[in-house]
Amino acid sequence: AQSVTQLDSHVSVSEGTPVLLRCNYSSSYSPSLFWYVQHPNKGLQLLLKYTSAATLVKGINGFEAEFKKSETSFHLTKPSAHMSDAAEYFCVVSDYGGSQGNLIFGKGTKLSVKP
Amino acid sequence: GAGVSQTPSNKVTEKGKYVELRCDPISGHTALYWYRQSLGQGPEFLIYFQGTGAADDSGLPNDRFFAVRPEGSVSTLKIQRTERGDSAVYLCASSLMWGKESGYTFGSGTRLTVV
């Protein structure tokens, strides 16, 4: 069965410092992996996705993530945090090779950015 | 339309009442998904449609929940005999087609409160 674990429920950084949001996944098949961001009272927005092409994936707003099969990880990073990055971030796995064509979300990591 | 539209944005109902939540996907998107996000949790899959048919409804929690998409466009999620535990944000997403490379676009959700 597919699953995703976000290792931190809350991460706090200072503006201008690096961001690291950790995610480990479990999948029976070659997974597609995503990071979504959710700002308060807004819809989920796709940051980036991995679908078996390059292992280093660049997304919007300066975010990137690296797919590491040996570690079953897909951590999200950004070199320098901005105040507008404060939001909830979800790591997501989808296993299109299985019987369910749906996205499986982690519990989320709330990112706080201090001035 | 330009995005996925969900109505109403907020719904307060009394325990035991019937509610309908509407999702208007991006024009031309054949796949449509419903998710439920409880407080402090990531979205959980409910059901998805490929065209008019429910391709996978394994996430519906019980037979009080039902969803339709009669013309392959707008979908309605129906909840009978609502319970306080049904309170959550109900998210709809659509994609061009079911599959590995398709991107999902989420609506802003309907916040359902059962009192």
Side-chain angles (χ1 to χ4, degrees):
Chain A
Q2 303 77 249
S3 66
V4 63
T5 302
Q6 292 185 244
L7 299 165
D8 306 292
S9 59
H10 190 192
V11 170
S12 182
V13 301
S14 296
E15 190 175 21
T17 64
V19 175
L20 170 63
L21 305 183
R22 299 183 293 165
C23 172
N24 287 101
Y25 71 91
S26 172
S27 177
S28 305
Y29 298 86
S30 179
S32 291
L33 292 159
F34 309 78
W35 276 97
Y36 280 84
V37 61
Q38 188 176 41
H39 288 91
N41 300 315
K42 296 284 181 64
L44 287 156
Q45 182 183 19
L46 179 67
L47 277 179
L48 49 81
K49 64 179 179 180
Y50 166 78
T51 55
S52 76
T55 56
L56 182 62
V57 182
K58 293 188 184 298
I60 61 171
N61 301 335
F63 284 95
E64 62 181 40
E66 186 171 8
F67 174 72
K68 291 187 176 180
K69 187 174 181 179
S70 61
E71 299 176 10
T72 60
S73 69
F74 191 58
H75 301 334
L76 181 71
T77 60
K78 182 173 180 178
S80 176
H82 191 271
M83 295 297 291
S84 61
D85 295 328
E88 187 97 27
Y89 291 80
F90 294 96
C91 182
V92 183
V93 65
S94 183
D95 180 356
Y96 294 107
S99 61
Q100 291 184 320
N102 67 77
L103 301 180
I104 298 166
F105 285 75
K107 291 186 183 293
T109 298
K110 183 176 181 180
L111 176 65
S112 299
V113 182
K114 297 175 289 187
Chain B
V4 177
S5 176
Q6 291 188 247
T7 54
S9 56
N10 279 283
K11 175 71 177 178
V12 179
T13 191
E14 293 181 348
K15 180 175 177 296
K17 298 288 188 183
Y18 168 83
V19 295
E20 289 189 350
L21 312 179
R22 176 188 167 106
C23 173
D24 201 339
I26 291 175
S27 179
H29 278 195
T30 60
L32 183 146
Y33 312 80
W34 283 100
Y35 287 79
R36 178 169 71 173
Q37 186 175 17
S38 300
L39 194 63
Q41 301 293 318
E44 294 178 315
F45 170 76
L46 294 176
I47 184 171
Y48 97 91
F49 291 87
Q50 187 63 31
T52 60
D56 183 352
D57 64 357
S58 61
L60 295 177
N62 52 60
D63 61 7
R64 295 186 298 104
F65 288 75
F66 190 71
V68 296
R69 195 186 185 199
E71 297 178 357
S73 178
V74 171
S75 176
T76 305
L77 178 65
K78 308 180 181 193
I79 310 174
Q80 298 177 321
R81 304 183 304 280
T82 51
E83 299 177 358
R84 291 198 179 87
D86 300 334
S87 296
V89 176
Y90 289 81
L91 296 167
C92 177
S94 70
S95 66
L96 191 57
M97 64 179 65
W98 181 92
K100 211 173 180 67
E101 305 302 323
S102 294
Y104 294 65
T105 301
F106 280 85
S108 297
T110 294
R111 182 177 298 278
L112 175 67
T113 304
V114 182
V115 297

